[in-house]
Amino acid sequence: MPAINNKKTQAHINTEPKNAPVNEHAFTGAQFLKQYIKQERMPLRLAVLAGSLSTVLMIIQWVCFVLIAQKIIINEQPITDHIPLLIVLIGCLIGKSLLTRMQTSLSQKASLNIRQNIRNTMLAQWRSSSPIYLKNTSTGAFASQFIEEIEAMDGYFSRYWPQQALAIISPLLILIVIAMLNWLCAIVLIMSAPLIPLFMILVGMGAERLNQKYSTIRQRLAGHFLDRVSNLSNIIRLGARQSVFEEVKDNSDRYRNVVMKTLKLAFLSSTVLEFFTSVAIATLAIYIGFSLYGAITWGPADSLNLFSGLTILILAPEFFQPLRNLSQFYHDRASALGAANNLVESLAIDSNTFNTIAPLTGPYDRPPISSTEHQDSTVHLQFSNLMIGYEKQLIQIPNLELKTGELLVITGDSGSGKTTLLNTLAKFIPAVQGEIHITPASGNPIAYLPQRTWIKNDTVYENLIALAPNASNTDMMHALDKMGLSEELDINHQGLDTIIGEHGKGLSGGQMQRLAFTRVLLNPTPIILFDEPTAQLDLKSKRYIVDALKTLKSTCILVIASHDPLLVKMSDTHLNINSVQQGKR
Amino acid sequence: MKYWFDLIIRSLGSRLYIGIFLAFISALSGVALLMLSGWFITATAITGIAVSAGVIVLFDMYMPGSGIRFFALSRTVGRYAERIYNHDSILRLISVYRLTLFKSLSTLPINQLRATNDSEWLGKLTADLDALDSVLLSYIIPPIVAGLLVITLTFFMSFFWFDLAILLGAFLLLCVFFSIRFTILKTKQYGMLTAGLLNECRAHIIEHLQGGFELQSMGLMQQHENKISTRLKTFYNIQQTLNSNIANIQLFLDLILAMTMAVIIYIGLHAVNANLIEGPIAIMLVMLILGVSEVLQNTPTQFGTWGRTRYCANRLADLTHVSNIQEHTTALDNLNTIDVNIRQNPRVPISHDKTISFTLSGKQLLNIQGRSGSGKSTIAKLLIGTESTNQNNAITVNEDISLNLINSDDWYSAVCYLEQDNTILAGTLGYNLALGIQTISEQEIWSVLKMVELFDWANALPEGLNAWLGEGGGKVSGGQARRIGLARLLLRNPKLAILDEPFNGIDDQMATRIWHNILPWVNARMLVLLTHEQPDYLNTVNDAIEACLDSV
């Protein structure tokens, strides 16, 4: 691949991104997430409200229960006297469940909307990025971000974020109630509340340091399995199957040992939470018990009775529950932040990538070439002091002029700049100096057929319609016939619904190229660019391609990069990049 | 799924029982803490009132107090032990999964192995393996612990109120059972569908991005997005239905448990009224329901992932089932001649116009020239066996044995292949060079490094042969990686060597020098050399055969 496609060099060239995306100010992953949460703040806040109301109902429910219990156990009243309280209790039980349901559905809907929004942003980013950047970066990595990483954010929006707010509101409500009943118990809880996060953070920091110490080894061991699997065919050919199998076994064991070392410390942080929770409950239970017995008389002990004591005991675990839930969802936060950071990085690069193509808002409207009705006015293509390339290789293009019906062939050694010129014409990379004039400036796109044809793992119809949205079935059958593909693709059996395999499996290079030309015939643009259209073709395919080129030539301007002498013979202008001047700024 | 359950039970053995026991202990401690505290407070309240009324009551304060402290501690310790232990079990399981997969993948015929270096496929593999964690942590341990908990508590309560305890216990067990069954029933389909749709969308995204040049040039990228958007909308809808179903089942379960609680409260306090049981026992009963509800509540979310896990588990199970391999049984003692006939091969354009035919024998060198797309690598792959031979693409060895009948291991020891793409494994320099060779001396390795002009570089490395080469050869340049690949072959003694653009990324002068160094090795065997164009150094070989695949 010529070095011109290096995205770093692109950034050096003066770029003025048009169609720049909206979120250029999202610098960190956390800010990125915050921005999307802002868009859905209504449902998320309602979810938090539902959760808070649920807590309120829970408090009322237990207060009712303990009230009834006190009356029956201590005052020995019959339960039938307290039916209204029972009804309130049952009502709270039902209401609580319903509110939880509501909270779940609100936060899940919000998460869905946010994920949809982020995905739409990514699609828009790709739409406005130079295709050179898109092709160079691993499409697998992009797809992984788009699908898996964004799905991994679901937990953060639907579970962690509402829980963050509830972890403050719920304990506060409970604390107020407990404080009203017994201020000493409230103090016990108030003291434990900040201590827990404090210790968790301390242990967490220690675990993190340990993690860092082992992180290199961990990464190597973790990647080992995938590395060996991806190189499996080589391993088998080299006769190393058994020895690598033993390796995978050993490495798995070593990985386990290393991970356990760090986990033992990491889990301590959640154990801290459990410890404080259990100890707080035990302390309260014992204090209340001893107070009720009369063994403790200082402080507010005298005011305790079954009602207050039992209420405090039941509410105490609920005080810690939101924090426990939060720690359970903590890894949701970590994965969301990680994914957001990745996204910000790739989106930020995208926003700097040059792109001057204004995406057409509607389908490109141009009748297929077989129509005799349309009469396009002649289009002129002019190079004016054009210099292309990049820092290390600047090429001064001689001033040329082409008009409809003419063919320009660019020849030269590979890497000499043929493809660069095509990419500059297509506006995928900016010209270093000078201009390309197209008159009349109609804003029509410029079709580009790269060296490696893009074939979809889909029906023939879908393959054609993607680049020729206005083509009718008849047009398609006619064009396929013209390119000799009708029998070869067995179109007669399943028609346009014939499926083409993954990555054009089963198709020969010639057939793929002919399919590309079928698309162009169905939707020719006034200027068409071709990169090595006749390279490595069997004779039959080559004949069809040359015929198609002749047909297209009559109504378009064709620019072809090639070393085929036959095409040079057909050309009206021949530009040999090798013999062109090395440019200077 | 059954396959994975069995595998887990088989490989973990007693670890499974210990893990379940630890989880049970910590769950029981949690409930016991609540129950004892509730009982204690009620008992002391009653006693306290009696004492202040002047009644003499004997009440042991300290036993319950110690009990409460004990349960608080056992809950904490139990939780920690359980998490550590079960994570260790999971890691052992991961190891078992990996080995199982590796073993079955490595026994596939090599022409089916092509997919394994596809990053898309690897990504799916990783995601699938991760999904299997749920099997132990969500589907095996929690239900068993829940069942044990209910049984133990029923047993305990039966001492106080036999009939109610048995009834309650049976009811709760049924709750667990039906909530699991119901959840799986209502979510399985959707879970599998969502996993499948996501995969589809992934493939569409990759296709969409690969079409960037064509789509962007025509301004039709947004149009093409529509297909992806439609599929995504379907995905969102189904996901919403899935979540909705889980939430509804959760609501239903919550309501049932809440009603159970209400009933117990009524019955309990009524029984206190009727002097059937004492106050503290009634409170203890209510605390029991509270504690158990917390444990049972999680069932829908745990089993809601069943569909997705099933989907991933099925895909992985497919990989581990070795299909009927045609036994390549013919042994190969010696390699004398190879006849190659290729026509109508889709990836070799010139083969449509004329048949490619050649015979190699003795220690001949064949140089096949052609630019990219001409089909050089396809021929190499046919020779090495990565692509299957058939009537149109026939390779015959020693004049009468068809290549596709030869035992693979025999063939691989007779033939060596240097691929066009560098394959540096994540490992040290020495490891990469000696991969697959039983015994080799350092001396031999250094002399080979000298031949490919890597001696000085390797010598200057602080760790020498133990230098880590990085993931996918990240720490070496393209030219260095190429030479390491070449050096790997030089350490062997195959009858036939296939070199696909061996000096790619290496300047011409170095290429010529290296060729000179390896000439003795080259001359000692049959060699198929694939290059872009005629190499300058070829004039050093006397009877080299040249063939060109370019049509233009």
Side-chain angles (χ1 to χ4, degrees):
Chain A
M1 259 269 145
I4 41 160
N5 294 328
N6 183 338
K7 61 185 192 277
K8 280 215 186 86
T9 22
Q10 273 171 237
H12 287 148
I13 298 170
N14 176 33
T15 59
E16 251 177 43
K18 298 183 185 173
N19 312 308
V22 262
N23 23 324
E24 282 166 316
H25 35 269
F27 296 116
T28 63
Q31 283 174 287
F32 179 85
L33 291 173
K34 230 179 260 180
Q35 190 177 324
Y36 281 97
I37 288 185
K38 238 194 279 183
Q39 291 173 355
E40 288 291 315
R41 59 176 177 275
M42 207 43 189
L44 283 175
R45 284 193 189 157
L46 281 177
V48 172
L49 184 64
S52 314
L53 281 178
S54 176
T55 310
V56 169
L57 285 187
M58 185 262 303
I59 296 175
I60 297 176
Q61 162 201 323
W62 287 121
V63 164
C64 287
F65 165 66
V66 178
L67 215 56
I68 300 173
Q70 163 131 351
K71 297 262 191 275
I72 292 174
I73 297 176
I74 304 294
N75 306 8
E76 292 184 6
Q77 292 172 7
I79 194 167
T80 41
D81 281 358
H82 302 286
I83 298 293
L85 272 176
L86 266 174
I87 294 182
V88 174
L89 192 152
I90 294 177
C92 287
L93 282 168
I94 297 177
K96 212 175 56 164
S97 308
L98 289 173
L99 280 169
T100 309
R101 173 77 179 88
M102 213 166 82
Q103 179 192 342
T104 313
S105 97
L106 281 165
S107 58
Q108 279 175 347
K109 189 75 175 66
S111 166
L112 195 143
N113 288 341
I114 293 180
R115 279 178 286 138
Q116 198 167 16
N117 290 343
I118 298 180
R119 288 197 169 113
N120 285 338
T121 309
M122 281 191 86
L123 283 174
Q125 282 301 85
W126 289 335
R127 204 188 306 145
S128 57
S129 299
S130 164
I132 296 173
Y133 170 62
L134 289 181
K135 244 187 185 163
N136 273 355
T137 318
S138 155
T139 47
F142 274 140
S144 201
Q145 275 183 339
F146 189 84
I147 302 284
E148 268 89 43
E149 291 196 17
I150 296 185
E151 277 309 294
M153 289 184 181
D154 180 23
Y156 176 77
F157 298 120
S158 62
R159 290 192 293 267
Y160 182 83
W161 196 90
Q163 197 60 35
Q164 235 183 352
L166 285 174
I168 300 176
I169 296 175
S170 294
L172 205 62
L173 289 170
I174 296 174
L175 193 62
I176 292 173
V177 174
I178 292 184
M180 292 195 308
L181 296 170
N182 184 300
W183 54 262
L184 193 60
C185 292
I187 289 179
V188 169
L189 291 177
I190 291 178
M191 280 186 355
S192 61
L195 274 181
I196 293 176
L198 180 68
F199 273 95
M200 283 177 80
I201 291 173
L202 280 177
V203 176
M205 280 177 6
E208 188 49 40
R209 218 172 298 139
L210 196 60
N211 217 4
Q212 291 291 71
K213 178 177 164 198
Y214 286 116
S215 79
T216 322
I217 307 177
R218 262 187 80 153
Q219 265 178 339
R220 281 194 195 168
L221 291 174
H224 180 265
F225 172 67
L226 284 184
D227 180 75
R228 296 305 187 258
V229 167
S230 66
N231 286 306
L232 202 47
S233 38
N234 252 310
I235 289 173
I236 294 176
R237 282 198 295 260
L238 291 170
R241 189 197 277 126
Q242 189 58 31
S243 61
V244 174
F245 180 78
E246 299 293 323
E247 242 187 84
V248 172
K249 198 184 211 180
D250 286 336
N251 266 309
S252 285
D253 283 337
R254 279 165 57 204
Y255 179 69
R256 181 170 49 85
N257 287 329
V258 168
V259 170
M260 285 314 293
K261 279 202 186 79
T262 54
L263 275 186
K264 278 180 186 155
L265 194 52
F267 281 159
L268 267 184
S269 76
S270 58
T271 309
V272 161
L273 176 56
E274 299 280 343
F275 177 71
F276 276 103
T277 313
S278 309
V279 163
I281 295 173
T283 310
L284 288 176
I286 293 176
Y287 166 73
I288 294 171
F290 275 66
S291 305
L292 289 174
Y293 187 65
I296 298 179
T297 47
W298 41 266
D302 286 338
S303 64
L304 275 175
N305 55 16
L306 180 62
F307 170 72
S308 47
L310 205 51
T311 310
I312 294 175
L313 174 75
I314 296 178
L315 289 182
E318 297 288 349
F319 177 80
F320 294 104
Q321 189 60 27
L323 201 55
R324 290 174 72 198
N325 286 344
L326 198 65
S327 80
Q328 216 185 334
F329 303 146
Y330 197 73
H331 75 274
D332 282 333
R333 178 175 183 270
S335 26
L337 270 179
N341 284 330
N342 280 346
L343 276 176
V344 166
E345 208 186 295
S346 64
L347 291 184
I349 292 177
D350 279 359
S351 70
N352 283 331
T353 307
F354 181 88
N355 181 42
T356 52
I357 298 179
L360 297 180
T361 46
Y364 175 52
D365 218 320
R366 181 172 168 122
I369 200 163
S370 53
S371 155
T372 48
E373 292 165 4
H374 81 275
Q375 278 286 334
D376 254 358
S377 57
T378 312
V379 176
H380 291 264
L381 174 64
Q382 192 182 33
F383 298 166
S384 163
N385 298 320
L386 184 65
M387 180 145 62
I388 62 167
Y390 56 103
E391 291 293 325
K392 292 195 189 136
Q393 189 186 359
L394 295 169
I395 304 168
Q396 184 79 45
I397 303 291
N399 288 348
L400 297 172
E401 196 176 316
L402 295 163
K403 60 179 194 285
T404 305
E406 289 183 3
L407 163 63
L408 163 67
V409 171
I410 310 166
T411 55
D413 298 333
S414 45
S416 59
K418 302 197 300 291
T419 315
T420 314
L421 180 53
L422 285 184
N423 287 340
T424 314
L425 280 171
K427 300 187 194 130
F428 293 158
I429 47 176
V432 175
Q433 263 179 26
E435 280 161 1
I436 300 170
H437 295 291
I438 299 175
T439 40
S442 55
N444 277 334
I446 299 176
Y448 189 137
L449 271 72
Q451 222 169 353
R452 281 187 80 179
T453 317
W454 176 55
I455 304 282
K456 285 161 64 82
N457 178 13
D458 209 330
T459 61
V460 171
Y461 178 83
E462 288 293 335
N463 266 286
L464 297 176
I465 205 86
L467 290 172
N470 288 339
S472 69
N473 285 19
T474 341
D475 294 332
M476 288 186 188
M477 295 297 286
H478 184 72
L480 284 166
D481 205 36
K482 195 159 193 280
M483 295 305 297
L485 285 173
S486 298
E487 313 119 45
E488 287 186 30
L489 294 183
D490 209 13
I491 298 285
N492 302 316
H493 277 145
Q494 281 167 302
L496 294 171
D497 288 331
T498 314
I499 296 200
I500 303 182
E502 210 175 306
H503 303 307
K505 195 169 168 182
L507 288 184
S508 72
Q511 285 169 327
M512 290 202 276
Q513 190 67 293
R514 280 189 270 156
L515 194 60
F517 268 79
T518 314
R519 289 197 288 234
V520 162
L521 285 176
L522 286 169
N523 195 4
T525 51
I527 306 174
I528 311 179
L529 310 172
F530 302 88
D531 198 348
E532 302 277 9
T534 57
Q536 310 299 0
L537 292 182
D538 55 283
L539 290 171
K540 178 180 179 190
S541 297
K542 188 161 174 189
R543 274 199 296 272
Y544 279 110
I545 299 288
V546 169
D547 279 343
L549 283 173
K550 287 189 177 131
T551 313
L552 288 167
K553 183 170 183 284
S554 56
T555 48
C556 311
I557 299 177
L558 304 183
V559 179
I560 304 180
S562 175
H563 9 50
D564 191 343
L566 180 61
L567 295 180
V568 174
K569 231 163 69 177
M570 275 170 63
S571 69
D572 299 288
T573 315
H574 172 199
L575 172 63
N576 187 341
I577 290 266
N578 281 344
S579 60
V580 140
Q581 254 189 341
Q582 285 303 309
K584 289 195 182 73
R585 277 187 189 268
Chain B
M1 279 287 259
K2 194 168 180 322
Y3 175 82
W4 299 104
F5 274 99
D6 288 339
L7 187 62
I8 291 175
I9 295 174
R10 237 186 309 136
S11 25
L12 284 184
S14 60
R15 282 197 75 93
L16 185 62
Y17 304 127
I18 298 177
I20 291 176
F21 178 70
L22 286 174
F24 168 67
I25 292 288
S26 56
L28 186 63
S29 304
V31 183
L33 178 61
L34 274 178
M35 283 168 65
L36 188 55
S37 309
W39 177 90
F40 182 61
I41 288 179
T42 319
T44 50
I46 296 176
T47 315
I49 293 170
V51 162
S52 50
V55 178
I56 312 279
V57 181
L58 269 173
F59 184 70
D60 184 357
M61 293 286 292
Y62 297 96
M63 272 294 276
S66 322
I68 291 174
R69 281 189 287 262
F70 170 74
F71 283 128
L73 205 61
S74 71
R75 185 173 108 159
T76 312
V77 171
R79 276 290 281 160
Y80 182 69
E82 174 224 337
R83 292 185 79 188
I84 293 288
Y85 197 79
N86 284 325
H87 262 84
D88 196 319
S89 298
I90 293 263
L91 288 168
R92 280 170 208 265
L93 278 178
I94 289 176
S95 173
V96 168
Y97 297 153
R98 286 177 172 187
L99 285 174
T100 314
L101 263 172
F102 192 84
K103 192 158 210 166
S104 36
L105 283 174
S106 64
T107 50
L108 282 176
I110 206 165
N111 55 5
Q112 286 180 38
L113 267 182
R114 264 175 302 180
T116 65
N117 62 357
D118 182 356
S119 64
E120 205 183 317
W121 184 88
L122 285 172
K124 274 192 239 174
L125 184 68
T126 319
D128 288 348
L129 280 175
D130 286 342
L132 286 180
D133 288 350
S134 326
V135 180
L136 182 68
L137 289 179
S138 300
Y139 308 150
I140 296 184
I141 295 184
I144 298 182
V145 165
L148 285 176
L149 191 66
V150 171
I151 293 174
T152 315
L153 291 172
T154 309
F155 180 70
F156 176 73
M157 277 313 292
S158 61
F159 289 116
F160 301 97
W161 190 344
F162 186 76
D163 296 328
L164 184 65
I166 299 292
L167 217 62
L168 189 60
F171 179 73
L172 287 174
L173 280 177
L174 281 176
C175 266
V176 173
F177 178 70
F178 278 111
S179 66
I180 293 177
R181 266 204 68 141
F182 212 58
T183 309
I184 295 181
L185 208 65
K186 286 280 163 193
T187 61
K188 188 167 72 172
Q189 284 293 82
Y190 299 109
M192 292 181 78
L193 268 175
T194 50
L197 277 170
L198 274 183
N199 267 319
E200 243 191 80
C201 288
R202 191 205 279 107
H204 284 146
I205 288 284
I206 291 182
E207 215 169 57
H208 178 75
L209 291 172
Q210 284 174 340
F213 269 82
E214 285 97 329
L215 287 168
Q216 283 237 27
S217 64
M218 298 291 284
L220 287 172
M221 201 148 187
Q222 190 160 13
Q223 183 108 359
H224 195 247
E225 282 167 22
N226 288 341
K227 188 159 190 199
I228 298 174
S229 301
T230 320
R231 269 342 237 162
L232 275 178
K233 277 209 180 68
T234 317
F235 166 73
Y236 292 135
N237 285 337
I238 298 187
Q239 193 186 46
Q240 217 174 352
T241 315
L242 173 67
N243 287 338
S244 189
N245 283 2
I246 297 178
N248 286 339
I249 295 176
Q250 181 76 59
L251 175 64
F252 200 54
L253 184 63
D254 284 349
L255 286 175
I256 291 184
L257 290 174
M259 288 306 102
T260 313
M261 169 98 74
V263 165
I264 294 293
I265 289 176
Y266 187 81
I267 294 181
L269 293 177
H270 193 273
V272 171
N273 274 157
N275 284 321
L276 283 172
I277 58 169
E278 295 180 11
I281 303 293
I283 302 297
M284 186 170 77
L285 197 49
V286 175
M287 292 294 106
L288 186 153
I289 297 286
L290 180 59
V292 170
S293 294
E294 265 176 35
V295 174
L296 299 188
Q297 245 171 3
N298 297 321
T299 315
T301 34
Q302 278 159 354
F303 281 85
T305 56
W306 182 271
R308 182 171 176 268
T309 310
R310 183 145 196 245
Y311 180 85
C312 298
N314 284 346
R315 275 216 302 224
L316 286 172
D318 286 339
L319 287 176
T320 57
H321 289 150
V322 189
S323 52
N324 285 331
I325 313 170
Q326 195 185 20
E327 269 307 317
H328 301 207
T329 47
T330 317
L332 189 75
D333 304 315
N334 224 333
L335 185 57
N336 298 321
T337 58
I338 302 182
D339 290 283
V340 178
N341 276 290
I342 299 172
R343 58 193 166 94
Q344 301 293 337
N345 187 313
R347 271 179 288 278
V348 186
I350 208 171
S351 70
H352 287 270
D353 305 324
K354 43 183 150 179
T355 307
I356 300 175
S357 180
F358 59 83
T359 303
L360 271 179
S361 57
K363 306 218 193 313
Q364 278 185 314
L365 184 148
L366 167 65
N367 173 220
I368 303 181
Q369 300 155 9
R371 280 190 295 267
S372 68
S374 57
K376 304 193 301 291
S377 299
T378 309
I379 296 183
K381 286 181 189 156
L382 283 166
L383 277 171
I384 193 69
T386 313
E387 299 249 350
S388 339
T389 51
N390 50 35
Q391 65 211 96
N392 276 340
N393 301 279
I395 299 185
T396 314
V397 176
N398 292 346
E399 287 175 17
D400 56 4
I401 313 172
S402 175
L403 179 60
N404 54 10
L405 293 176
I406 297 181
N407 181 332
S408 315
D409 287 336
D410 281 355
W411 187 244
Y412 298 142
S413 36
V415 182
C416 267
Y417 177 39
L418 178 65
E419 276 182 316
Q420 204 175 19
D421 296 319
N422 295 329
T423 36
I424 304 286
L425 276 68
T428 63
L429 177 61
Y431 173 83
N432 267 287
L433 288 169
L435 186 65
I437 303 178
Q438 306 291 37
T439 41
I440 188 108
S441 69
E442 259 202 43
Q443 177 84 332
E444 290 173 75
I445 297 185
W446 285 109
S447 73
V448 150
L449 283 173
K450 202 164 203 167
M451 281 198 261
V452 295
E453 300 200 357
L454 281 176
F455 184 92
D456 294 328
W457 166 76
N459 211 11
L461 291 171
E463 302 98 345
L465 290 179
N466 285 329
W468 179 262
L469 295 182
E471 299 281 325
K475 293 212 191 305
V476 293
S477 73
Q480 286 167 332
R482 204 96 264 272
R483 283 178 278 162
I484 292 173
L486 183 58
R488 220 185 246 151
L489 264 60
L490 297 174
L491 287 169
R492 293 155 185 267
N493 191 20
K495 305 266 186 356
L496 164 67
I498 307 169
L499 306 178
D500 196 344
E501 304 202 34
F503 300 116
N504 201 3
I506 298 172
D507 67 82
D508 290 339
Q509 285 118 333
M510 185 186 276
T512 313
R513 286 198 304 269
I514 296 179
W515 181 263
H516 243 94
N517 293 338
I518 67 173
L519 206 50
W521 185 86
V522 166
N523 285 333
R525 63 205 79 252
M526 230 187 267
L527 195 84
V528 175
L529 177 67
L530 303 160
T531 53
H532 240 110
E533 49 207 8
Q534 189 194 50
D536 294 327
Y537 50 76
L538 201 61
N539 51 25
T540 57
V541 179
N542 288 333
D543 53 350
I545 312 171
E546 286 175 57
C548 184
L549 293 180
D550 283 328
S551 40
V552 157

